[in-house]
Amino acid sequence: MVYILLAPGFEEAEALVPADLLRRAGVDVSLVSLQGDAVTGSHQITVKADLTLERVNLDDAEMLVLPGGGLGVKHLGEAPEVEALVRQAVARGLWVGAICAAPTLLGRWGQLEGREAVCFPGMEGQLAGAQVRMEQRTVTDGRLITGRAAGSAFDFGLALVEALAGPEEAERVRHAVHY
């Protein structure tokens, strides 16, 4: 199971494109709201969540994904349950994906020291000890996948597919969507 965490103000493309690509690859995905059934993104698109944060079960998880969006990332960062969940996921060796402004949360929470990462341009200083690779759209370092911005949503989503379903499946999905 992949849990994509949605907070009010999340960047819709950074959550929904990866969710779509993962589901095309046959990966189970749940859109997770911090609270309530629906979450409105940064462009006023309201998404119905599959479940709320308290129902996330890391025992059945393969990956956590943190989409960007300035206000969404602010709300994710203000939720101690999100930090605890990310720390537990990392400790268990689960995949963690973060795109746009969300990698700054991983930096704040001490998860990027000595690792390669990318984020929204101009936020590199918040990656706390990471080797920043801004020339890349996505970076995979161990079980951490980071993406640059909304324009990298397809690259990021395909990197998530590759991590969980393999390069052949990622290529099949890429071809199926004509990307």
Side-chain angles (χ1 to χ4, degrees):
M1 174 66 68
V2 174
Y3 292 111
I4 300 178
L5 307 185
L6 306 180
F10 74 97
E11 172 55 56
E12 294 92 340
E14 296 167 2
L16 300 179
V17 169
D20 177 284
L21 297 174
L22 285 160
R23 287 182 177 174
R24 287 173 189 262
V27 176
D28 289 331
V29 176
S30 286
L31 300 174
V32 180
S33 168
L34 294 187
Q35 60 184 28
D37 290 338
V39 187
T40 301
S42 61
H43 299 97
Q44 304 310 304
I45 298 171
T46 300
V47 175
K48 183 182 180 309
D50 299 307
L51 52 97
T52 54
L53 191 60
E54 64 269 3
R55 293 188 48 215
V56 169
N57 180 1
L58 288 185
D59 291 336
D60 68 5
E62 294 179 271
M63 179 184 285
L64 290 181
V65 177
L66 307 175
L71 190 55
V73 169
K74 178 182 180 294
H75 288 134
L76 289 174
E78 292 172 346
E81 306 89 347
V82 172
E83 179 180 355
L85 199 61
V86 168
R87 288 183 182 278
Q88 290 170 17
V90 170
R92 290 180 182 209
L94 302 177
W95 287 93
V96 174
I99 184 170
C100 196
T104 65
L105 295 176
L106 300 179
R108 184 186 329 161
W109 299 332
Q111 303 303 313
L112 296 179
E113 186 65 41
R115 307 202 52 193
E116 293 186 355
V118 67
C119 65
F120 187 80
M123 301 184 109
E124 301 90 339
Q126 298 177 55
L127 296 185
Q131 297 171 21
V132 180
R133 300 288 184 239
M134 291 307 289
E135 72 281 2
Q136 295 177 231
R137 290 178 175 272
T138 64
V139 174
T140 301
D141 185 334
R143 290 188 163 254
L144 174 69
I145 301 171
T146 53
R148 192 181 323 148
S152 305
F154 274 91
D155 298 289
F156 180 70
L158 290 168
L160 303 181
V161 170
E162 183 171 333
L164 297 178
E168 295 83 14
E169 185 62 12
E171 180 59 22
R172 186 196 67 75
V173 171
R174 185 196 66 74
H175 182 71
V177 298
H178 294 274
Y179 178 73

